[in-house]
Amino acid sequence: MTRGIYITANDKVTEQTIALLNSIRCYDADTPITLIPYDDNYQAIADLLKKNYGVKVYEDLAFIDRLSQKLYEIFGEGFFARPNQFRKQACWFGEFDEFLYIDTDIVVFEKIIDNLDYFKQYDFLCCDYQHSGGLTNVFTPKILEDEVFKEEDIQGIFNGGWWAAKKNLLSEQDLYDMFAECAAHPEYFDFSKKTSDQPIINYTILKRIPRRFNIVGRPGEAPGSWAGSPQFKRQGNVLFDPNRNQSLQYLHWAGIRIEPGCPYWDIWKHYRYLQDENPPQDPLLQKSGGQLRRFLQGLKLTLQGKS
């Protein structure tokens, strides 16, 4: 039985990817990591990740292209804002018997692969409070009105940036069938914020995998993980959630541009330049309407419960 981590990246997100890999390797030197190229512009980041972190590229690149293209075509050209997000579905068919998928706009604060120990009782894992925001960014009320799901099913909603599963729980045909089912009912899904894969993968998991577990539901709960949550405090090189009196397992800048002045910039910068004795100085920041709007947007989402 093999365990490993999948990421998707291209050369455009090199800085984010370095921060993520530095954080993973800070706590775990050995777990294998495989890169699923986000597009054809990945050679530079692949070489860097192989040299510095032992990351391999997914072996069957032709399969990734075929899978993502067919999933994209089921909905039709132009439907999705970021169709390449579907390339991560290759996770189901890769080399690892048990796998964790992580977006590159994340840094971790522990040996993150150990969360897969929950597979003794479950087949699919997530670890976030996306469900506390209700249907937003995943489904529309129509999905409840038509009784596709019940209210208790909605508690299984998760963020697509961090999830874990077992290989071959879904077949390639299962994915095509589920995407076709979703394409027949676009009115069930909330794409208002230009999400692509999150509503569809949520629908698929809720329909096809009953033995699911959200780690934040463990005894004693678990800390938040979203960088838009303002309550986290830095303790050394990790963040602490005073609302739950626990250290964070990871931090996710979902929907937030990682740049000087963004929430928890200092912690991201720490991991980005973990091996650099002379990290660059931040540019002088000026207060701007754009920064204020981003802060207010983050505060609004926090009040909606996405912590």
Side-chain angles (χ1 to χ4, degrees), residues 146-203:
D146 287 3
E147 299 182 343
V148 178
F149 294 122
K150 299 177 181 178
E151 286 284 355
E152 54 264 35
D153 296 325
I154 300 305
Q155 293 302 305
I157 284 176
F158 64 96
N159 185 281
W162 192 111
W163 52 277
K166 298 176 181 178
K167 180 178 179 178
N168 291 329
L169 276 179
L170 299 176
S171 69
E172 188 175 347
Q173 190 59 50
D174 285 337
L175 286 179
Y176 298 147
D177 291 345
M178 294 308 296
F179 270 63
E181 192 172 313
C182 293
H185 295 283
E187 69 275 13
Y188 290 158
F189 305 99
D190 179 9
F191 292 110
S192 61
K193 302 299 182 183
K194 296 186 178 181
T195 56
S196 289
D197 62 314
Q198 183 164 286
I200 308 304
I201 189 61
N202 265 270
Y203 184 93

Side-chain angles (χ1 to χ4, degrees), residues 16 22 30 38 84 124 141 147 154 156 167 275 281 286:
Q16 289 184 190
N22 278 345
D30 301 319
Y38 185 79
N84 283 19
F124 180 89
E147 299 182 343
I154 300 305
K167 180 178 179 178
Q275 310 300 331
Q281 294 293 316
Q286 295 181 351

Side-chain angles (χ1 to χ4, degrees), residues 115-136:
N115 288 281
L116 273 57
D117 289 346
Y118 286 106
F119 282 147
K120 294 173 183 176
Q121 290 86 33
Y122 304 100
D123 296 321
F124 180 89
L125 305 172
C126 59
C127 186
D128 61 71
Y129 285 92
Q130 181 82 35
H131 62 282
S132 64
L135 300 172
T136 303

